[in-house]
Each structure stands twice: as structure tokens, then as C-alpha cells.
């Protein structure tokens, strides 16, 4: 038996996604599997075993049909031997195929669209943060697969802040961001955190889409539904995750909200606002821009030059959470986007955009919020 015969690819684990269509020696023909009941796909996560020291070519032949094919330009896949440190490996996109070339330095390596954030790590995060002084945990309800929708409540101040992430499960950088934000917010030695906890009450949902996360989806839940198009009218059958979270928001009110995401194509960190909502006020807009500009001043990884087009007056899509919350509560709301690629303003050849940078951005967003918190009018 040749050494290449012992090489294998598998994805039968939390957030795994790949199909092996064929192989020729050390060249594998692969395909990303669509989200269940959906045509969305782009997330991949698989294990390559038995190839230590062997150059392997991994060809994802259906890349052109992915949800965001522009995301493949200048993209490099993530690879790890220990699932702790993720490095970028040579990746090319041509003729509709994404080709990854890797020579593993270990018997098993994992490859993924971005460094995964597993449901087990999610449970560890929730358990660790819930055990910190002054933190309460609540199960808001169940997903369609029967998983828990976790809510962490921190602080005792009059301002009401909601942070929620990973409506799109393949955007795993969003939960890395959450880990960084939660670690800072519960740090007893951090003066910003102490001040925030005194001045605001934080309601935090680290993962809005546990089912899609575990299933290895890019964008949808167990029913193939994009949760960020459900906020106008969530239902138990399609979007219980949004239904439970929005019901709690209606009880608490919202003064500031941030929805954390990743963008496949744009190689920058940016936020999107709610300019087109019917109930727009100039004061809301002023406070949104104050937060945006404060974050830009504080954090070199964040910029304001590039982002999404701004909706025309009255034309905002109210099925999206940021628009719905800003319109519903008169609050300041923002959608934060991080790159799957690298941050073109501050490129890192080894890691690209990374879990570590996502975590630090989470902490930095709290610093920006701390600066503007007194400007926010408390609704309740």
C-alpha cells in the first residue's frame, strides 16, 4: 500500500462540512454541502488525516455556486494541527474551483473557511461567564433541534444594551468576538468593565443559531431559514431563535444593540446602520455616527471608508434585526462585520483575520460604547 492510500478526509463532527467526490493519488475532488433545506453554502470544515509531510491538493469544485463567490478572491483557507492556532495556507480560485494546497506537519490537520467556534466551546464559554460574579444565565427557549438559546445578563445600570452574534452560523468570527467582549465585561480588574456594569445592564446572546452552527451551515438554521430576515414576524415553526430573543427585548427595551457578523467578500472591518428606517430621527443618526467614529478613533482594525450601500429614506428592510430594533425601540443599533479574508488595512500574512483579532475587537467595541454611553437616552 502506498502512503497516499492511508490519507483520508472526514467531516462527521460539530460544524463539519465537506463531501469527497473523488481522488487521484494525493489530489482530492471535494464539494461543499448546502445548508439543509436551503441553497446557501460556503462554510467548509474537515479533517485531513494520514498526510504528514505529504503535499496534498484539495479542490472544491462547486465554489463558483457558493453564496458569495466574490469571497474566494484573495482568500486563503485556515488550517490547524491543534485546533488552537489557525494559520492561512496557499489557496487559489480559478475556473470555478477553490484549490487548497497543504503539506501537513502532523498526522491530522483541520481545514476550515474560518477558525471554527464549536458548540462545545460555546457551552464552555457560557459556563465560565455564568460563573462570574454578578452574571446570570437563562435559557430563553429551544431551537428546532432542541438546543438551548442562551442568554447572559451582566450589570445593574439603567441603560439597556443587547449584544447578539452568529445569526449566520458560518460566521464563526462573531462568537470569537463574543468571547473577547464577555471576557472583558466580566474582568474584575478592568475599569471600563466596572464602569459599564454600573451604568448599563447587558443582555447577551453569544450564539443566535446553535442548530446551524452544529450542522455546518453557512447562513441558516435547521429549517433552512435566514434568521436575519425574520425580525419583522418570527414564528415558532421557522425562527424560534428570533421569536424568543425579540420577545425578551420587548420586555427589557433596548437603548443600544449590536448584531455581530462576518462578511465573505469585503476585506475590512466595518459597521452598517439603519439609515432607511421609517422612524428615523436625526438624534438616532448622530449617536450611531458617534459610536462609529469613536470606534474608528480607538481601533486601527476598524474603518469607515468601505462597507454596505446605505438604504434610501423609508426603504430599510425591517426583517433585518438592526433596522427592526432601531425602528421598534428608537435605539442605536449596528451590524458589525468582520472579514473572512484578511483586513486589507493591516494584513497578517500568517493568520489573516483571526480569532485573536476578533476577540480584541470585541473588547474594543466595549471601550467605544463606554465613551458614548452617557449620550444614549435611557428608554426605561
Amino acid at each position: 500500500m502506498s502512503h497516499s492510500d492511508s490519507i483520508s478526509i472526514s467531516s462527521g463532527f460539530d460544524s463539519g462540512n465537506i463531501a469527497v467526490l473523488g481522488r487521484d493519488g494525493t489530489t482530492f475532488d471535494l464539494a461543499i454541502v448546502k445548508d439543509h433545506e436551503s441553497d446557501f453554502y460556503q462554510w467548509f470544515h474537515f479533517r485531513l488525516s494520514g498526510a504528514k509531510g505529504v503535499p496534498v491538493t484539495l479542490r472544491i469544485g462547486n465554489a463558483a455556486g457558493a453564496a458569495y463567490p466574490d469571497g474566494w478572491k484573495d482568500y486563503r483557507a485556515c488550517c490547524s494541527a491543534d485546533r488552537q492556532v489557525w494559520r492561512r495556507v496557499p489557496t487559489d480560485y480559478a475556473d470555478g474551483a477553490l484549490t487548497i494546497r497543504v503539506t501537513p506537519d502532523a498526522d491530522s490537520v483541520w481545514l476550515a473557511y474560518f477558525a471554527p467556534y464549536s458548540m462545545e466551546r460555546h457551552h464552555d464559554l457560557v459556563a465560565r461567564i455564568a460563573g462570574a460574579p454578578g452574571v446570570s444565565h437563562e435559557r430563553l427557549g429551544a431551537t428546532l433541534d432542541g438546543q438551548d438559546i442562551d442568554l447572559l445578563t451582566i450589570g445593574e445600570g439603567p441603560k439597556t444594551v443587547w449584544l447578539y452574534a452568529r445569526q449566520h452560523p458560518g460566521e464563526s468570527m462573531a462568537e470569537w468576538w463574543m468571547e473577547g467582549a464577555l471576557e472583558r465585561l466580566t474582568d474584575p480588574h478592568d475599569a471600563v468593565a466596572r464602569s459599564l456594569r454600573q451604568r448599563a445592564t447587558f443582555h447577551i446572546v453569544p450564539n443566535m443559531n446553535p442548530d446551524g452552527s452544529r450542522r455546518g451551515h453557512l447562513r441558516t438554521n435547521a429549517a433552512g431559514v435566514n434568521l436575519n430576515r425574520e425580525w419583522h414576524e418570527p414564528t415558532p415553526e421557522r425562527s424560534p431563535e428570533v421569536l424568543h430573543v425579540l420577545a425578551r427585548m420587548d420586555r427589557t427595551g433596548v437603548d443600544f444593540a449590536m448584531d455581530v457578523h462576518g462578511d465573505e467578500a469585503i476585506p475590512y472591518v466595518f459597521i452598517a446602520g439603519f439609515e432607511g428606517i421609517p422612524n428615523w430621527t436625526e438624534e438616532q443618526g448622530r449617536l450611531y455616527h458617534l459610536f462609529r467614529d469613536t470606534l474608528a478613533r480607538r481601533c486601527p482594525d476598524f474603518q469607515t471608508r468601505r462597507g454596505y450601500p446605505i438604504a434610501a429614506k423609508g426603504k430599510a428592510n425591517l426583517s433585518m434585526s438592526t433596522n427592526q430594533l432601531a425602528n421598534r425601540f428608537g435605539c442605536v443599533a449596528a451590524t458589525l462585520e468582520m472579514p473572512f479574508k484578511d483586513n486589507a488595512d493591516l494584513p497578517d500574512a500568517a493568520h489573516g483575520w483571526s480569532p485573536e483579532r476578533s476577540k480584541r475587537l470585541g473588547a474594543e467595541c466595549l471601550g467605544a460604547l463606554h465613551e458614548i454611553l452617557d449620550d444614549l437616552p435611557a428608554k426605561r
Side-chain angles (χ1 to χ4, degrees):
M1 183 177 74
S2 70
H3 186 70
S4 65
D5 291 336
S6 64
I7 299 174
S8 63
I9 288 175
S10 59
S11 61
F13 44 78
D14 185 339
S15 79
N17 182 322
I18 207 70
V20 180
L21 304 183
R23 65 178 293 184
D24 181 6
T26 58
T27 297
F28 287 79
D29 286 315
L30 308 174
I32 303 172
V33 180
K34 291 180 179 180
D35 291 8
H36 180 65
E37 300 289 345
S38 168
D39 287 330
F40 284 117
Y41 69 88
Q42 193 141 355
W43 171 262
F44 61 87
H45 179 200
F46 57 91
R47 183 182 190 179
L48 173 64
S49 302
K52 183 177 181 180
V54 178
V56 175
T57 300
L58 306 162
R59 183 181 181 277
I60 299 176
N62 66 339
Y68 304 98
D70 287 347
W72 302 130
K73 181 179 181 291
D74 299 325
Y75 167 79
R76 291 177 296 146
C78 300
C79 182
S80 178
D82 61 5
R83 303 201 301 164
Q84 302 297 316
V85 177
W86 292 83
R87 295 185 178 276
R88 302 288 177 148
V89 294
T91 307
D92 299 299
Y93 179 62
D95 301 323
L98 188 77
T99 302
I100 305 165
R101 293 179 174 86
V102 61
T103 303
D105 57 5
D107 291 324
S108 286
V109 295
W110 284 258
L111 292 110
Y113 188 27
F114 191 82
Y117 201 101
S118 70
M119 285 308 300
E120 286 306 308
R121 189 177 183 106
H122 165 85
H123 293 310
D124 288 343
L125 174 68
V126 169
R128 176 160 53 95
I129 299 300
V135 181
S136 64
H137 169 267
E138 188 176 348
R139 176 185 182 271
L140 283 181
T143 66
L144 295 170
D145 282 347
Q147 296 194 80
D148 298 330
I149 303 166
D150 291 305
L151 172 69
L152 295 162
T153 304
I154 304 170
E156 54 199 14
K159 303 289 175 69
T160 302
V161 177
W162 275 86
L163 307 175
Y164 53 105
R166 218 166 168 191
Q167 291 200 75
H168 300 147
E171 298 164 16
S172 54
M173 63 285 287
E175 198 158 3
W176 289 109
W177 183 99
M178 272 291 178
E179 185 172 298
L182 286 165
E183 286 177 352
R184 181 171 199 185
L185 196 55
T186 54
D187 184 346
H189 308 292
D190 190 306
V192 166
R194 291 171 66 90
S195 177
L196 282 171
R197 295 195 305 267
Q198 289 174 3
R199 295 157 64 201
T201 301
F202 287 78
H203 306 273
I204 301 176
V205 182
N207 188 334
M208 284 284 299
N209 197 336
D211 293 353
S213 300
R214 182 172 282 169
R215 285 168 173 259
H217 286 188
L218 173 74
R219 202 162 170 83
T220 67
N221 69 357
V225 171
N226 178 354
L227 295 181
N228 204 28
R229 299 296 185 274
E230 292 287 305
W231 287 76
H232 60 308
E233 197 174 2
T235 66
E237 298 79 19
R238 287 173 51 85
S239 47
E241 302 90 345
V242 175
L243 185 71
H244 289 299
V245 172
L246 187 55
R248 181 54 57 90
M249 289 174 168
D250 282 335
R251 283 171 51 185
T252 66
V254 183
D255 297 316
F256 181 91
M258 180 169 277
D259 178 19
V260 189
H261 288 260
D263 186 89
E264 292 78 3
I266 301 175
Y268 299 96
V269 180
F270 61 97
I271 60 172
F274 48 89
E275 288 83 356
I277 62 171
N279 296 338
W280 164 273
T281 69
E282 291 300 322
E283 180 65 2
Q284 256 180 310
R286 183 187 74 81
L287 293 170
Y288 166 74
H289 288 113
L290 178 63
F291 174 77
R292 183 197 67 181
D293 296 343
T294 301
L295 183 58
R297 174 175 53 77
R298 293 178 59 102
C299 182
D301 259 335
F302 179 78
Q303 57 80 52
T304 60
R305 304 179 316 280
R306 294 174 175 85
Y308 297 143
I310 293 173
K313 184 177 180 179
K315 299 296 185 182
N317 183 348
L318 295 181
S319 71
M320 299 172 70
S321 66
T322 290
N323 292 328
Q324 177 63 223
L325 299 184
N327 199 64
R328 191 184 194 104
F329 297 106
C331 67
V332 176
T335 304
L336 178 73
E337 299 281 357
M338 293 170 279
F340 276 87
K341 302 175 184 178
D342 200 349
N343 178 2
D345 282 338
L346 286 171
D348 178 342
H351 305 97
W353 189 254
S354 65
E356 293 77 14
R357 289 171 84 174
S358 303
K359 288 182 65 172
R360 282 165 175 75
L361 181 63
E364 203 61 64
C365 286
L366 290 179
L369 176 61
H370 178 264
E371 287 196 36
I372 72 145
L373 193 62
D374 286 343
D375 290 88
L376 298 175
K379 302 297 187 305
R380 298 189 179 189

